[in-house]
């Protein structure tokens, strides 16, 4: 039978598989056909895994012996910085081009128990350092909705794989918007979970105090199912939240805040703002109180982020020296091997951020930048925690503008960094956030709205999100 | 930020770079540092009262120093990833 991929959801796919309308093999083959046809141009996938037959067999077996879960046989794509044992995980960097994972990341281990089918690894900005997937060492990824435009980043490959019907759902990672922003640019739902909600074990680190793994999907329900499956305590991640600390009181106020000055602060597109106001009005009609609030510290979020992140990047990327794994370039002595391997292995943006972090952490500037940023991060956290005494969530557009053309912003790093302006508060404050499609612009490109909720309150995002989906 | 500063940073970060690229990075640092310099405004904010560094510094989470896997469990796979190894050891250039 012909499977309608466009309208397929996890629940529908599961139903089809459970009722025997189609087999795991047929479902997977349908996606592989689309990949075959589209991936050459889109470049969402860097590689299709060589063990799909084996995975299909395991899933099919689980349906036969009635141990299948809702995720059994569901095709999932994996961002290239998430370790899958035996497979290459390169973080789309030349320095890790041939690096094979020696163990499974926590999220992969969890999903393997469900018998999902990992289709392959997807393209990303090198070491997740970018907002458009144009800094990958292995070519750009095109936006399936408009192939002359970027898919966003750094999870541009994961987003394009879902938007192009080359998988049902995807695993992405974000340090500041790298799930939510590409989801927005590709007309999808993306979730950045609470920091510590999903283990970072087996995920190639970028900014360790900010990084999280999360889902990209076509709707809120799919994102919720995938996030629930990868959440949980992991002793291998020292920042993972223990199970007993995940139980919290769940109140619901039906009140949403608009941080007004924050919205008006940076160059936000007129039509993006107009769509945002329309979304607010829809929420009001659905019974939510949606009001302007005045916040002070949140406006500093992006500046704080662009201090803390490069500091952590320069530390995390210090381990890539061509000695223990990855590509090595021969040299006259050990120092020379380091310098040449790193020169050959890192792309332009990675070098820029390593140098920026080195500068920020250097004696004489440490106090002015890094320490001040930590202080500001703390104030932002407290400002938002105060806000949540009266509100379920705050809303902004996900990105201040619509998907831009390939090649744009590449030569102007600061204008690229401004993509992340509305993403930063959630990562800095460790709180969950979701991006959801909020309509289509005149030129056919997707609008997106972003809801950010209190610590561990993903349930709010899913409740409001499912309601909002029906209003669009 | 001038070329000499960038050269020093590249040396510290152990990345060999061309003058041309370092010049470009020096140029981009101007606008980036100006933007992140806004963070100083926080010194005028007192949300929740002024806190001491201990309150907002990141801290390490410690655990017992015990083995988390069987000895040698990952050994062969890790060895396989090494650019150069000999008799089960990682091979590097002479240091002393």
């Amino acid at each position: 039978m012909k499977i309608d991929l466009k309208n397929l959801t996890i629940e529908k796919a599961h139903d089809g598989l459970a009722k025997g309308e189609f087999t795991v093999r047929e479902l997977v083959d349908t996606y592989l056909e689309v990949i075959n046809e589209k991936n050459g141009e889109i470049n969402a996938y860097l590689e299709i895994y060589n063990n799909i037959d084996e995975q299909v067999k395991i899933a099919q077996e689980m349906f036969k012996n009635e141990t299948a879960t809702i995720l059994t046989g569901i095709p999932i794509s994996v961002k290239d910085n998430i370790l899958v044992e035996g497979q290459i995980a390169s973080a789309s960097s030349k320095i890790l081009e041939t690096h094979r994972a020696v163990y499974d990341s926590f999220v992969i281990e969890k999903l393997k128990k469900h018998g999902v089918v990992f289709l392959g690894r997807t393209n990303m900005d090198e070491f997740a350092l970018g907002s458009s997937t144009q800094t990958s060492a292995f070519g750009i990824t095109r936006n399936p909705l408009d192939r002359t435009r970027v898919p966003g980043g750094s999870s541009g490959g994961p987003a394009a794989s879902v938007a192009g019907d080359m998988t049902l759902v995807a695993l992405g990672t974000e340090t500041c918007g790298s799930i939510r922003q590409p989801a927005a640019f590709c007309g999808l739902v993306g979730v950045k979970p609470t920091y510590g909600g999903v283990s970072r074990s087996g995920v190639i680190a970028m900014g360790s105090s900010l990084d999280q793994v999360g889902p990209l999907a076509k709707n809120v329900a799919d994102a919720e199912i995938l996030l629930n499956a990868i959440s949980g305590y992991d002793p291998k991640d020292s920042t993972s939240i223990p199970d007993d600390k995940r139980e919290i009181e769940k109140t619901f106020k039906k009140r949403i805040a608009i941080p007004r000055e924050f919205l008006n602060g940076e160059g936000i597109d007129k039509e993006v703002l107009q769509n945002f106001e329309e979304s607010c009005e829809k929420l009001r009609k659905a019974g939510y109180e949606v009001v302007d609030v005045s916040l002070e510290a949140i406006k500093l979020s992006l500046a704080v982020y662009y201090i803390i992140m490069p500091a952590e990047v320069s530390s995390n990327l210090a381990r890539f020296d061509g000695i223990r794994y990855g590509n090595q370039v021969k040299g006259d002595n050990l120092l020379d091997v380091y310098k040449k391997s790193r020169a050959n292995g890192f792309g332009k943006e990675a070098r820029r951020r390593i140098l920026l972090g080195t500068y920020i952490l250097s004696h004489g500037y440490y106090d002015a930048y890094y320490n001040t940023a930590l202080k500001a991060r703390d104030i932002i956290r407290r400002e938002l925690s105060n806000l949540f005494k009266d509100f379920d969530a705050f809303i902004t557009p996900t990105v201040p503008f619509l998907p831009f053309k390939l090649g744009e912003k590449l030569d102007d790093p600061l204008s690229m960094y401004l993509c992340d302006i509305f993403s930063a508060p959630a990562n800095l404050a460790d709180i969950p956030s979701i991006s959801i499609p909020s309509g289509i612009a005149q030129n056919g490109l997707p609008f997106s709205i972003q809801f950010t909720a209190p610590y561990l309150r993903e349930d709010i995002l899913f409740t409001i999100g499912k309601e909002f989906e029906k209003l669009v | 930020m001038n070329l000499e500063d960038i050269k020093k940073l590249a040396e510290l970060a152990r990345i060999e770079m061309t003058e041309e690229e370092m010049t470009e990075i020096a140029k981009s640092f101007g606008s980036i540092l100006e933007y992140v310099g806004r963070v100083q405004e926080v010194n005028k904010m007192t949300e929740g009262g002024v806190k001491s560094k201990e309150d907002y510094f990141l801290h390490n989470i410690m655990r017992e120093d015990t083995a988390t896997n069987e000895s040698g469990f990952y050994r062969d796979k890790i060895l396989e990833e090494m650019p150069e190894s000999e008799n089960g050891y990682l091979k590097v250039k002479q240091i002393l």
Side-chain angles (χ1 to χ4, degrees):
Chain A
M1 72 167 284
K2 185 103 179 84
I3 304 170
D4 172 19
L5 296 185
K6 199 85 237 151
N7 296 303
L8 198 64
T9 64
I10 292 179
E11 210 171 311
K12 280 187 200 165
H14 176 73
D15 262 10
L17 292 168
K19 288 181 185 149
E21 286 165 16
F22 45 83
T23 63
V24 177
R25 180 82 257 172
E26 284 165 336
L27 177 62
V28 168
D29 282 348
T30 311
Y31 280 107
L32 290 174
E33 263 170 48
V34 182
I35 292 171
N36 226 355
E37 175 199 321
K38 283 188 183 171
N39 197 55
E41 198 192 343
I42 304 273
N43 197 32
Y45 286 95
L46 294 175
E47 184 187 5
I48 298 302
Y49 292 142
N50 53 8
N51 64 344
I52 289 181
D53 292 353
E54 226 170 284
Q55 297 184 67
V56 166
K57 229 170 114 187
I58 292 169
Q60 207 63 68
E61 200 57 40
M62 286 174 76
F63 274 101
K64 216 184 277 173
N65 60 28
E66 294 179 348
T67 54
T69 72
I70 185 146
L71 281 169
T72 304
I74 299 297
I76 299 181
S77 69
V78 182
K79 191 174 175 182
D80 193 26
N81 58 352
I82 299 173
L83 305 193
V84 179
E85 192 188 332
Q87 302 290 356
I88 287 177
S90 79
S92 295
S93 177
K94 209 172 156 191
I95 205 160
L96 289 178
E97 192 174 4
T98 57
H99 162 255
R100 265 178 210 283
V102 302
Y103 62 97
D104 277 331
S105 53
F106 177 83
V107 293
I108 295 296
E109 204 182 306
K110 280 212 131 196
L111 290 173
K112 274 187 178 174
K113 287 184 187 141
H114 287 274
V116 306
V117 179
F118 298 115
L119 296 179
R121 61 187 173 98
T122 50
N123 201 16
M124 55 186 277
D125 281 293
E126 182 182 13
F127 285 108
L129 308 172
S131 309
S132 64
T133 317
Q134 295 179 101
T135 72
S136 165
F138 309 114
I140 56 155
T141 295
R142 290 173 188 273
N143 190 327
L145 305 181
D146 176 346
R147 296 184 184 192
T148 66
R149 291 176 193 269
V150 302
S154 65
S155 306
S161 69
V162 179
D165 287 324
M166 294 186 266
T167 183
L168 184 49
V169 281
L171 286 176
T173 65
E174 80 161 65
T175 309
C176 182
S178 276
I179 291 171
R180 288 168 287 159
Q181 185 255 23
F185 277 11
C186 292
L188 304 171
V189 171
V191 183
K192 194 293 273 187
T194 298
Y195 183 75
V198 179
S199 169
R200 293 178 292 114
S201 171
V203 180
I204 298 173
M206 173 185 163
S208 303
S209 78
L210 305 151
D211 294 345
Q212 272 295 284
V213 182
L216 291 100
K218 286 185 290 188
N219 59 61
V220 177
D222 283 0
E224 183 181 13
I225 292 168
L226 187 54
L227 178 59
N228 285 340
I230 60 173
S231 296
Y233 174 65
D234 176 15
K236 286 183 187 153
D237 174 356
S238 66
T239 60
S240 174
I241 306 166
D243 289 330
D244 59 326
K245 290 199 173 144
R246 290 175 190 243
E247 299 301 324
I248 50 160
E249 200 197 336
K250 289 179 175 165
T251 57
F252 206 56
K253 307 174 187 80
K254 290 213 102 176
R255 297 191 77 211
I256 299 173
I258 305 170
R260 188 52 72 179
E261 294 100 330
F262 182 43
L263 278 191
N264 296 342
E266 311 288 338
I268 179 170
D269 269 10
K270 221 169 124 191
E271 52 176 341
V272 168
L273 190 61
Q274 197 191 332
N275 171 268
F276 175 74
E277 300 298 352
E278 285 163 16
S279 297
C280 292
E281 207 39 53
K282 285 175 188 163
L283 285 161
R284 286 188 191 105
K285 279 190 184 137
Y288 285 90
E289 197 182 331
V290 184
V291 293
D292 284 1
V293 293
S294 182
L295 297 174
E296 189 181 29
I298 196 177
K299 288 179 279 180
L300 298 179
S301 295
L302 193 70
V304 173
Y305 172 71
Y306 270 92
I307 292 171
I308 290 175
M309 177 273 293
E312 295 188 7
V313 163
S314 70
S315 312
N316 272 326
L317 268 52
R319 67 170 67 89
F320 303 108
D321 54 10
I323 302 294
R324 288 152 301 155
Y325 42 77
N327 283 334
Q328 184 181 89
V329 177
K330 301 268 174 254
D332 299 335
N333 52 53
L334 191 62
L335 185 65
D336 202 37
V337 175
Y338 290 153
K339 283 187 177 172
K340 289 201 160 77
S341 300
R342 285 164 71 78
N344 176 63
F346 290 136
K348 211 164 141 186
E349 187 58 21
R351 298 172 202 215
R352 188 193 330 270
R353 295 205 200 178
I354 291 171
L355 260 52
L356 187 59
T358 307
Y359 174 73
I360 281 163
L361 292 176
S362 63
H363 185 71
Y365 297 100
Y366 192 97
D367 246 341
Y369 290 109
Y370 188 66
N371 279 350
T372 310
L374 286 185
K375 184 178 176 182
R377 183 178 186 176
D378 181 59
I379 291 185
I380 292 165
R381 273 194 190 122
R382 276 183 281 138
E383 182 174 77
L384 292 176
S385 145
N386 271 338
L387 174 77
F388 289 134
K389 284 176 189 161
D390 298 318
F391 293 93
D392 297 318
F394 71 84
I395 44 174
T396 63
T398 307
V399 195
F401 35 76
L402 292 167
F404 45 90
K405 291 268 183 189
L406 290 160
E408 231 178 273
K409 298 188 198 289
L410 256 189
D411 299 325
D412 182 1
L414 186 61
S415 89
M416 185 71 88
Y417 297 173
L418 286 171
C419 294
D420 303 333
I421 182 97
F422 297 135
S423 309
N427 301 81
L428 292 174
D430 304 338
I431 54 182
S433 184
I434 193 169
S435 62
I436 302 174
S438 60
I440 306 283
Q442 267 177 358
N443 57 7
L445 295 170
F447 288 118
S448 174
I449 192 167
Q450 173 177 274
F451 297 82
T452 304
Y455 194 69
L456 286 171
R457 293 303 306 274
E458 278 82 351
D459 64 298
I460 291 178
L461 302 179
F462 296 137
T463 304
I464 302 180
K466 283 176 197 166
E467 218 170 317
F468 182 78
E469 268 177 339
K470 288 185 207 143
L471 304 173
V472 180
Chain B
M1 177 112 353
N2 58 41
L3 186 62
E4 286 312 305
D5 295 326
I6 298 290
K7 270 186 187 164
K8 204 178 146 208
L9 289 174
E11 190 67 29
L12 287 170
R14 297 183 166 172
I15 306 175
E16 207 175 74
M17 282 168 77
T18 62
E19 287 228 348
E20 191 191 349
E21 189 184 352
M22 287 191 281
T23 309
E24 200 217 304
I25 287 188
K27 219 176 104 200
S28 71
F29 269 26
S31 57
I32 296 169
L33 290 173
E34 190 193 312
Y35 184 85
V36 302
R38 292 181 187 189
V39 74
Q40 299 301 337
E41 284 174 37
V42 79
N43 292 317
K44 290 181 264 166
M45 298 175 187
T46 52
E47 174 82 29
V50 179
K51 300 274 171 174
S52 69
K53 283 184 185 173
E54 287 67 35
D55 286 328
Y56 57 78
F57 267 34
L58 297 178
H59 58 277
N60 286 320
I61 297 162
M62 312 297 269
R63 66 164 175 84
E64 286 302 312
D65 184 16
T66 51
T68 53
N69 54 270
E70 202 185 310
S71 172
F73 188 76
Y74 296 106
R75 191 173 175 276
D76 292 345
K77 285 179 192 160
I78 290 170
L79 275 168
E80 231 169 87
E81 288 307 306
M82 293 174 181
E84 265 194 292
S85 64
E86 205 174 287
N87 303 325
Y89 289 96
L90 172 68
K91 197 176 166 188
V92 294
K93 285 262 178 200
Q94 192 179 341
I95 295 170
L96 294 175

